[in-house]
Amino acid sequence: MHPYTERVLAVVKERNPDEPLFHQAVEEVLHSLDPVVAKMPEVEELNLLERICEPERQAIFRVSWQDDKGRMHVNRGFRVGFNSVLGPYKGGLRFHPTVQLGTIKFLAFEQIFKNSLTTLMMGGAKGGSDFNPKGRSDGEVMRFCQSFMIELSRHIGDHTDVPAGDIGVGAREIGYLFGQYKRLVNRYEPGVLTGKDVRYGGSLGRKEATGYGCVYFAEEMMKTKQDSLEGKTCVVSGSGNVAIYAIEKLQALGAKVVACSDSDGIIHDPEGLDLDIIKDLKEVRRARLAEYVKLRTKAQYKAGGNIWEVACQAAFPCATQNELSGADAALLVKNGCKLVAEGANMPTTPEGITVLQKSGVLFGPGKAANAGGVSVSGLEMQQNASWTNWSFEEVDKKLQGIMKNIHGTCVHYAGEYGQPGDYVLGANVGGFMRIVYAMAAHGLV
Ligand code: NDP
Ligand code: 2IT
């Protein structure tokens, strides 16, 4: 590593102790930026790396709420505005019991580069809470969201910071958050949150955008090998928002998706997943995936199983961070997998990435491959700002254009820095370039 890059990484680790996910995200990016540091002396002269690695602001707050029995609970809320040089802070909210400050910082850091790659006007942010919505009634979730918004409302705004969904935060939660925000500020400001239901200011195509976008990106990667996803056997981990719409688009393109998962186990359906059943279980009934096999008797359910044991030609990790290890990557390679596109944020461990890249597997990192979600959030902001709505087809066409453009950016920078086909390098450098010019232009920021 370049001595400057090494120094910055050491500072980040010292300044942010006990935040391994944040360290992991920073280390990957800094590693990719090493050749840029060598080529562009102004990066060190202006100390841009250290500045990029320090969040602009971090809010941590108590969220008290009452359950259906009248008991009081306390959770911790977070909002990290990491970088606003390219636009208002933008990024999702995650509600999951594992959420800590370091989780939010890793996600917000990734979001800076992802949002830059989209070329839309969005800075990087993330927020959330260690609240666990699983098993909670609608009323409990509503009261939590209302309480969460009382503090969050002080930090957000359509030109300041625009949250959206992530794990555990979907249209239901965004609805409660939006309703509370409106009551608090006495203004109907559709642009303050994205991922809203289409019936009150959301964008058509936002729900589908991350999953569809990931598959569009994967299709672009396949094209570089004069191949396509048609007829390919695929595996998609998770069964939430991103996974469901990745499966839907893969099936539409003629691929066969044979397995998906939730945190309890995996389903393997060798004839191809029945997505209607999965949507009903997950989107309507909020049930567990284990129930799938009651309706599809030829499918198997394995409690706690490892989805990467299922042989496939293309794999789409769409659940959570570090869900695909070095050993999993080796299994995928052994079973003939030729492509991995990350729908989730940082789902592949550093060891996993090394194994895949060394084996010649096309590897699309999350900050490029899953940028479709935030891209359509950006399009939702555009529609809200002009108080108009676009058709599904118009949004989808723009999404396809954005994903194609991000793919082109990755290919361009990987080539420029002598690592053709290295999408990790391409995405990190491509994202960095817009940020670095803007930060230099803004002076003391
Ligand atoms: P959802 O809450 O809709 O779904 C998450 C899925 O992943 C569920 O099937 C869940 O299983 C599983 N999962 C979550 N945490 C774990 C865990 N610790 N171990 C095992 N399985 C887990 O979230 P999304 O689909 O929105 O998000 C999935 C990933 O995609 C995340 O990494 C997110 O950051 C990323 N992402 C999301 C975007 C979006 O627009 N929503 C945009 C870009 C990236 P269970 O239900 O059992 O918990
Ligand atoms: O990780 C992500 O890009 C998201 N969760 C979506 C963020 C957004 O603002 O739509």
Side-chain angles (χ1 to χ4, degrees):
M1 252 194 179
H2 190 283
Y4 171 57
T5 325
E6 212 164 321
R7 224 165 44 240
V8 172
L9 184 60
V11 168
V12 168
K13 287 184 175 171
E14 197 190 327
R15 201 180 258 161
N16 305 275
D18 303 322
E19 294 180 351
L21 292 172
F22 179 52
H23 299 173
Q24 184 182 333
V26 170
E27 190 154 1
E28 182 206 284
V29 168
L30 291 184
H31 191 262
S32 293
L33 294 180
D34 224 24
V36 183
V37 171
K39 194 168 164 181
M40 295 171 64
E42 63 269 35
V43 173
E44 182 173 0
E45 279 159 23
L46 298 173
N47 200 7
L48 283 162
L49 293 185
E50 201 179 330
R51 288 202 271 154
I52 283 178
C53 292
E54 182 66 15
E56 288 175 11
R57 56 171 78 160
Q58 311 180 52
I60 305 178
F61 48 95
R62 181 176 68 205
V63 187
S64 303
W65 58 280
Q66 214 168 10
D67 69 20
D68 288 342
K69 296 195 176 102
R71 272 193 302 261
M72 301 286 265
H73 296 258
V74 176
N75 283 96
R76 189 170 285 176
F78 304 94
R79 186 70 182 169
V80 173
F82 218 120
N83 194 301
S84 61
V85 79
L86 294 178
Y89 300 120
K90 182 81 196 88
L93 298 170
R94 176 177 291 192
F95 292 169
H96 195 272
T98 57
V99 164
Q100 298 177 344
L101 179 61
T103 324
I104 301 301
K105 278 163 72 178
F106 117 67
L107 290 161
F109 183 75
E110 291 276 294
Q111 202 82 42
I112 308 172
F113 297 86
K114 183 193 305 189
N115 294 2
S116 168
L117 281 167
T118 69
T119 73
L120 301 172
M121 253 185 261
M122 299 183 294
K126 206 80 180 192
S129 173
D130 56 4
F131 171 70
N132 186 359
K134 233 176 264 170
R136 291 291 172 194
S137 69
D138 286 354
E140 289 173 326
V141 170
M142 179 184 75
R143 289 192 294 280
F144 175 81
C145 288
Q146 291 177 334
S147 188
F148 184 83
M149 183 50 89
I150 287 175
E151 177 61 33
L152 187 71
S153 65
R154 304 176 208 271
H155 307 282
I156 62 176
D158 57 0
H159 285 62
T160 307
D161 183 354
V162 184
D166 193 77
I167 291 176
V169 178
R172 175 183 62 170
E173 290 73 21
I174 294 292
Y176 295 145
L177 291 165
F178 184 74
Q180 181 74 343
Y181 183 82
K182 184 173 71 63
R183 291 203 299 174
L184 287 166
V185 302
N186 193 34
R187 281 167 64 87
Y188 201 98
E189 281 189 35
V192 76
L193 287 166
T194 62
K196 299 179 295 297
D197 190 284
V198 291
R199 288 163 290 194
Y200 69 90
S203 174
L204 287 163
R206 173 62 187 88
K207 183 176 68 175
E208 294 84 356
T210 312
Y212 278 22
C214 183
V215 175
Y216 294 146
F217 190 88
E219 192 70 328
E220 291 298 317
M221 290 199 290
M222 290 299 259
K223 277 191 208 160
T224 66
K225 303 281 179 199
Q226 290 75 51
D227 205 347
S228 80
L229 290 162
E230 193 182 348
K232 299 288 186 292
T233 299
C234 302
V235 161
V236 176
S237 68
S239 50
N241 173 261
V242 179
I244 285 175
Y245 292 95
I247 296 170
E248 183 165 280
K249 184 51 74 179
L250 283 167
Q251 291 180 340
L253 293 180
K256 185 159 86 164
V257 188
V258 295
C260 69
S261 60
D262 63 17
S263 56
D264 293 340
I266 68 169
I267 51 172
H268 182 201
D269 193 339
E271 288 178 8
L273 294 172
D274 184 328
L275 192 57
D276 289 339
I277 299 178
I278 296 170
K279 280 188 179 177
D280 182 55
L281 286 175
K282 290 293 172 183
E283 293 187 330
V284 182
R285 293 165 48 201
R286 297 181 188 275
R288 306 311 296 162
L289 208 51
E291 288 192 34
Y292 181 89
V293 288
K294 290 187 197 156
L295 300 152
R296 288 272 286 190
T297 44
K298 282 184 188 156
Q300 294 138 26
Y301 175 73
K302 200 168 166 191
N306 180 2
I307 195 165
W308 313 119
E309 285 173 5
V310 179
C312 63
Q313 292 158 298
F316 296 81
C318 295
T320 193
Q321 63 273 3
N322 289 333
E323 54 163 318
L324 201 166
S325 68
D328 297 330
L331 254 178
L332 285 172
V333 172
K334 188 174 128 234
N335 290 332
C337 180
K338 299 281 178 246
L339 174 144
V340 174
E342 295 186 326
N345 284 307
M346 210 167 77
T348 313
T349 64
E351 299 75 28
I353 295 173
T354 304
V355 170
L356 295 171
Q357 289 188 325
K358 283 202 170 145
S359 311
V361 174
L362 288 166
F363 177 74
K367 57 172 81 68
N370 74 34
V374 77
S375 298
V376 175
S377 278
L379 303 182
E380 185 172 333
M381 289 161 73
Q382 290 181 21
Q383 292 168 77
N384 291 158
S386 53
W387 298 87
T388 51
N389 293 301
W390 303 338
S391 68
F392 182 89
E393 290 68 29
E394 195 172 348
V395 174
D396 190 47
K397 203 166 148 221
K398 286 181 198 279
L399 170 64
Q400 288 183 46
I402 292 169
M403 297 315 294
K404 205 177 158 136
N405 186 49
I406 294 175
H407 180 270
T409 301
C410 294
V411 168
H412 170 81
Y413 283 105
E416 183 174 326
Y417 283 91
Q419 303 288 336
D422 184 343
Y423 288 89
V424 175
L425 183 103
N428 288 332
V429 176
F432 179 70
M433 285 303 172
R434 293 184 67 228
I435 302 159
V436 81
Y437 290 125
M439 281 184 78
H442 289 194
L444 201 56
V445 292

